[in-house]
Amino acid sequence: AGSHAIESLSFYGLLITFGLAALKYANVPLTVFTFLGGAVAIGIGFGSQNILNNFISGLILLAERPIKVGDLISIDGTFGNVTQIGARSTQIRTGENLDIIVPNSSFLENNVTNLTRRDDRLRTSITVGVAYGSDLRQVIKLLEQAAVSQTAVLDRPKPFVWFNDFGDNALAFQVHFFINARTLTAMKKIETEV
């Protein structure tokens, strides 16, 4: 791939060199092309604006470090781990083992959630529906017990249960708990165990 790029650049460089040499040999003054050269320069300037924006955004990301390699982030509803921060783009690997290439300017222009910026501790929750008429104190006790009994759930802060909603066929409760996880897969595995 690298040799192909060098071959293409060399071809265009030689083409321009031979074109200018032919014009000089034919005694065509190059000042005729001044206006055309200015128009081409403006076109190249507008075309490279997006590339320059992403390059500068990459420098800002590397200096400020709002995200770093290994962080679990969410951007545009997609969760993944940052695997590489480059000069123009950042590579994110999703839980499905897909690599997504995101332009660096997206991290500065859009909302990005960094779930593991300060530490690996995350609060997560599971929603459970119980039948109307159930013993609600028993429901809360069993949900707390389900969270506490898992070794991957942190003791502090202590897991807690909220009543969430009156559903069509059930009362919806949420059990909230803290875990240590750096990937979406690890988080989902612990939620499933609870």
Side-chain angles (χ1 to χ4, degrees), residues 57-70:
S57 296
L59 294 177
I60 292 170
L61 287 177
L62 291 171
E64 286 185 359
R65 295 180 52 90
I67 61 168
K68 60 185 182 305
V69 172

Side-chain angles (χ1 to χ4, degrees), residues 100-179:
I100 299 174
I101 310 299
V102 181
N104 286 334
S105 60
S106 297
F107 291 99
L108 301 179
E109 295 169 357
N110 299 322
N111 290 334
V112 177
T113 304
N114 189 338
L115 286 80
T116 55
R117 179 161 190 233
R118 289 194 174 89
D119 57 29
D120 296 347
R121 192 175 61 162
L122 302 171
R123 184 179 97 176
T124 187
S125 66
I126 298 172
T127 302
V128 177
V130 296
Y132 281 97
S134 299
D135 181 355
L136 300 184
R137 285 191 173 87
Q138 184 71 6
V139 169
I140 292 171
K141 180 181 172 190
L142 289 173
L143 288 174
E144 285 176 347
Q145 218 172 27
V148 169
S149 68
Q150 296 301 320
T151 56
V153 173
L154 299 177
D155 296 333
R156 296 234 190 278
K158 185 180 170 191
F160 59 92
V161 177
W162 281 342
F163 170 73
N164 206 29
D165 195 13
F166 291 98
D168 292 336
N169 301 320
L171 298 169
F173 283 85
Q174 270 188 326
V175 58
H176 294 263
F177 49 91
F178 282 82
I179 60 174

